[in-house]
Amino acid sequence: MSPQSPTDAELWRRVRDGDRHAFGTLFDRHARTVYNYCFRRTADWTAAEDLTSVVFLETWRRRDRVRMESASLLPWLYGVAANVLHNHRRGLRRHRDALARLPLPETVPDDADAATARLDAERQMRTVLASIDRLSRRDQEILTLSAWEGLSYQEIATALGIRVGTVRSRLARARERLRADLRLPAEPVPPGRHREGGTTTYFTAEEIS
């Protein structure tokens, strides 16, 4: 963001007054991050694209209720995304058996290499999610916001509407359970970092991807 660019807080004040252009600027600024988060939670590029649209639609619809508690709108967007993903996954569970009986569509990708890379990424992410799915919903949200999105304890607390102490304790538990499930070393190592005030603890994203 250049020195002349308006801050999220400045843009959001305009959004609350119904300024769609300001909202479009926020979308351009944060959509890729939200999209990546949705993909990491679904292992499906197409679903991630649809879910990102829903996240921003819900954010626009609920703009009168949004109170930014940090310099960035991202913590709020992550909170909306967590709820959208929860509803999405409940719907998937209801329809999974029916979808499994449908024939796969025959597609001819424009770029075979790109299509292969996308499929490989989805397969790898599904392997990771199979282990993460064994955690509780809240622990999944806390773990992914920390390990993949790099949020601080305070930012996670803001995104999910919980206390910082709850984030800290549940994150430690989630890490330990995931490491045991994936048979990872007991002690995490650099370079992945989690920020908390002036201290740094480590948990590499590569360990769970």
Side-chain angles (χ1 to χ4, degrees):
M1 187 167 57
S2 68
Q4 293 77 27
S5 299
T7 65
D8 280 12
E10 291 168 343
L11 288 169
W12 192 252
R13 284 194 291 271
R14 289 157 51 186
V15 169
R16 285 174 58 84
D17 292 331
D19 188 334
R20 293 177 180 270
H21 178 72
F23 189 75
T25 301
L26 286 168
F27 177 88
D28 292 340
R29 187 174 291 176
H30 298 305
R32 173 58 61 177
T33 300
V34 173
Y35 173 74
N36 287 338
Y37 173 67
C38 290
F39 169 71
R40 288 165 179 150
R41 297 300 307 277
T42 62
D44 186 320
W45 294 108
T46 301
E49 188 172 328
D50 293 340
L51 290 166
T52 298
S53 298
V54 174
V55 168
F56 279 92
L57 175 62
E58 285 299 303
T59 299
W60 171 261
R61 291 174 57 186
R62 298 164 62 184
R63 63 189 182 277
D64 290 340
R65 286 172 276 173
V66 179
R67 296 293 182 272
M68 289 184 56
E69 299 182 18
S70 68
S72 173
L73 185 64
L74 268 176
W76 171 269
L77 292 172
Y78 281 128
V80 175
N83 287 329
V84 168
L85 282 159
H86 177 60
N87 292 333
H88 169 73
R89 297 184 74 175
R90 285 197 304 179
L92 283 181
R93 284 194 293 270
R94 287 197 301 268
H95 299 294
R96 185 173 294 152
D97 291 341
L99 289 173
R101 292 192 293 269
L102 293 176
L104 294 175
E106 295 183 4
T107 59
V108 181
D110 295 332
D111 188 327
D113 290 340
T116 299
R118 287 166 64 90
L119 289 173
D120 286 344
E122 289 185 354
R123 291 190 190 100
Q124 293 171 11
M125 190 56 63
R126 288 192 185 105
T127 299
V128 175
L129 291 181
S131 292
I132 293 178
D133 280 349
R134 296 186 180 92
L135 303 174
S136 69
R137 174 196 169 194
R138 183 61 82 198
D139 286 355
Q140 290 178 38
E141 293 167 349
I142 292 172
L143 178 67
T144 55
L145 287 174
S146 172
W148 285 332
E149 309 307 321
L151 269 64
S152 67
Y153 292 140
Q154 183 59 61
E155 289 169 333
I156 296 172
T158 298
L160 302 179
I162 57 181
R163 294 180 299 176
V164 172
T166 301
V167 173
R168 184 181 293 107
S169 61
R170 297 191 74 138
L171 179 58
R173 179 178 62 191
R175 286 170 170 169
E176 185 59 34
R177 290 187 60 185
L178 189 62
R179 281 197 292 268
D181 188 49
L182 295 177
R183 299 180 181 179
L184 297 171
E187 291 297 328
V189 296
R193 296 187 298 175
H194 182 80
R195 307 183 306 281
E196 173 61 10
T199 64
T200 302
T201 56
Y202 293 94
F203 184 72
T204 61
E206 289 79 7
E207 287 182 333
I208 55 173
S209 62

